């Protein structure tokens, strides 16, 4: 498979990776053109020439992935030059490292007005999402034509289990009358984000109920409620913007990543 075909596939799969691409070379270098995919653990596909220069480019790509920031790096392939690396080629190499970060995978638990507003905003942002509800009349492909999946069950907890929640899931809860069941189910998984639309009194009541059912204080402290950024939102559309804004903020936060160790 060609490198750019692989990049397109990884994008569709919503994976995290970096693409290192030679954008300029002068003099003698291992390669004048080349592309290389680098994963967060330092594994690669493709090449930008091999050798010590590629070793450093992999290292810089891993760092870029950790920071979530694209960058340009340049190397003098001359061990006798100031700031040169231990190579005899003598040329210079400039490489653009582009970081591809996954888009938040939204789990919209509630197919009412707010769920619909969230879906339309997700469509605009090209965020993948699924919809979960206990009402067959609301949770339909007609109302949510671009949803990756629709999960409907009169027991909303069972419907959520079908959604295969994971560390990539950004769960937003705004059901008709079963927020407690939805929240308890979501907290069983290592979701990236769990938020619930609720008043302060409702949050207290639901938290006390879930504590009595075995949910820990630590789990409850991970829940964002009130949900969304504080922008004075009132309409469903405005609330959706505040929630998505918070999700974007959370998804951009730097998280520790285990990587291979590189020695200069």
């Amino acid at each position: 498979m060609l490198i750019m075909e692989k990049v397109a596939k990884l994008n569709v799969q919503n994976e995290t990776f970096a693409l290192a691409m030679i954008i300029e070379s002068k003099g003698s270098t291992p390669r004048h053109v080349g592309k290389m995919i680098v994963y967060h653990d330092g594994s690669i596909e493709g090449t930008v020439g091999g050798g010590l220069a590629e070793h450093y480019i992999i290292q810089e790509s891993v760092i870029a992935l950790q920071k979530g920031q694209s960058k340009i790096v340049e190397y003098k392939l001359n061990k006798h030059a100031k700031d040169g690396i231990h190579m005899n080629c003598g040329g210079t190499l400039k490489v653009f490292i582009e970081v591809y970060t996954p888009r938040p995978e939204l789990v919209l638990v509630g197919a009412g007005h707010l769920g619909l507003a969230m879906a339309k905003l997700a469509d605009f942002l090209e965020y993948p999402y699924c919809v979960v509800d206990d009402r067959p009349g609301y949770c339909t492909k007609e109302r949510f034509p671009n949803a990756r999946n629709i999960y409907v069950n009169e027991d909303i907890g069972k419907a959520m289990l079908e959604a295969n929640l994971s560390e990539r899931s950004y769960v937003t809860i705004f059901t008709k009358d079963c927020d407690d069941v939805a929240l308890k189910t979501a907290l069983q998984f290592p979701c990236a984000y769990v938020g619930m639309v609720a008043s302060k009194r409702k949050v207290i009541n639901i938290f006390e109920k879930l504590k009595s059912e075995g949910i820990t204080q630590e789990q409850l402290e991970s829940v964002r409620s009130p949900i969304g950024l504080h922008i004075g939102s009132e309409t469903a559309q405005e609330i959706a913007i505040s929630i998505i804004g918070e999700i974007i903020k959370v998804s951009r936060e730097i998280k520790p990543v285990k990587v291979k160790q590189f020695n200069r």
Side-chain angles (χ1 to χ4, degrees), residues 171-174 183 193-197 222-225 227 246:
V171 182
T172 55
I173 299 171
F174 26 74
L183 182 58
Y193 173 102
V194 178
M196 179 177 66
V197 174
S222 71
V223 180
R224 294 174 184 266
S225 190
I227 191 174
E246 184 172 70

Side-chain angles (χ1 to χ4, degrees), residues 168-189:
R168 291 190 176 184
S169 300
Y170 288 73
V171 182
T172 55
I173 299 171
F174 26 74
T175 71
K176 175 173 61 68
D177 56 10
C178 45
D179 288 351
D180 55 335
V181 177
L183 182 58
K184 182 179 181 180
T185 306
L187 290 176
Q188 296 174 28
F189 298 88

Side-chain angles (χ1 to χ4, degrees), residues 173 175 177-184 187 196-213 215 220 223 225:
I173 299 171
T175 71
D177 56 10
C178 45
D179 288 351
D180 55 335
V181 177
L183 182 58
K184 182 179 181 180
L187 290 176
M196 179 177 66
V197 174
S199 65
K200 290 182 179 180
R201 181 174 294 278
K202 184 176 181 180
V203 169
I204 291 171
N205 291 338
I206 288 178
F207 279 19
E208 288 302 320
K209 181 176 185 294
L210 294 188
K211 280 182 183 178
S212 70
E213 296 175 359
I215 298 298
L220 294 172
V223 180
S225 190

Side-chain angles (χ1 to χ4, degrees), residues 53-67:
E54 182 168 286
H55 174 84
Y56 288 156
I57 291 165
I58 293 170
Q59 181 178 13
E60 291 293 344
S61 297
V62 169
I63 293 171
L65 282 167
Q66 287 181 300
K67 294 182 177 180

